[in-house]
């Protein structure tokens, strides 16, 4: 089941056209979640999808949200993805 709002889905690149939020059965987009996995498994994409969904659903400005990563570079990746997606 996809929980992405149309406004998020419409701005995703073609390679993410079928994107869904992982772990929806254990953590909703408005709950704290910890994502584990090796490089390239989609942790940053999931963080960006959850952030974008929450922003749209709650009418939040990015300055009202916090995404915590274990590396500063990962925060930049999430920010860049959100900017790319509009």
């Amino acid at each position: 089941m996809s929980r992405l709002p149309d406004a998020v889905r419409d701005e995703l690149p073609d390679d993410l056209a079928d994107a869904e939020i992982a772990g929806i059965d254990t953590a909703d987009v408005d709950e704290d979640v910890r994502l584990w996995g090796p490089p390239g498994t989609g942790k940053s994409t999931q963080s960006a999808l959850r952030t974008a969904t929450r922003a749209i659903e709650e009418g939040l400005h990015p300055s009202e949200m916090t995404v915590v990563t274990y590396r500063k570079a990962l925060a930049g990746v999430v920010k860049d993805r959100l900017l790319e997606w509009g």
Side-chain angles (χ1 to χ4, degrees), residues 2-70:
S2 174
R3 305 264 325 249
L4 297 178
D6 290 339
V8 173
R9 185 167 302 286
D10 292 346
E11 298 300 324
L12 293 176
D14 291 341
D15 63 333
L16 291 177
D18 297 326
E20 293 187 11
I21 296 176
I24 205 75
D25 55 333
T26 57
D28 208 348
V29 295
D30 63 346
E31 295 178 321
D32 291 343
V33 65
R34 195 179 296 184
L35 301 171
W36 284 285
T41 57
K43 297 176 301 295
S44 297
T45 299
Q46 284 295 312
S47 294
L49 289 172
R50 288 172 178 275
T51 301
T53 298
R54 183 75 192 272
I56 297 266
E57 288 181 346
E58 302 293 329
L60 297 172
H61 186 273
S63 66
E64 299 173 304
M65 303 179 75
T66 301
V67 175
V68 179
T69 66
Y70 68 94

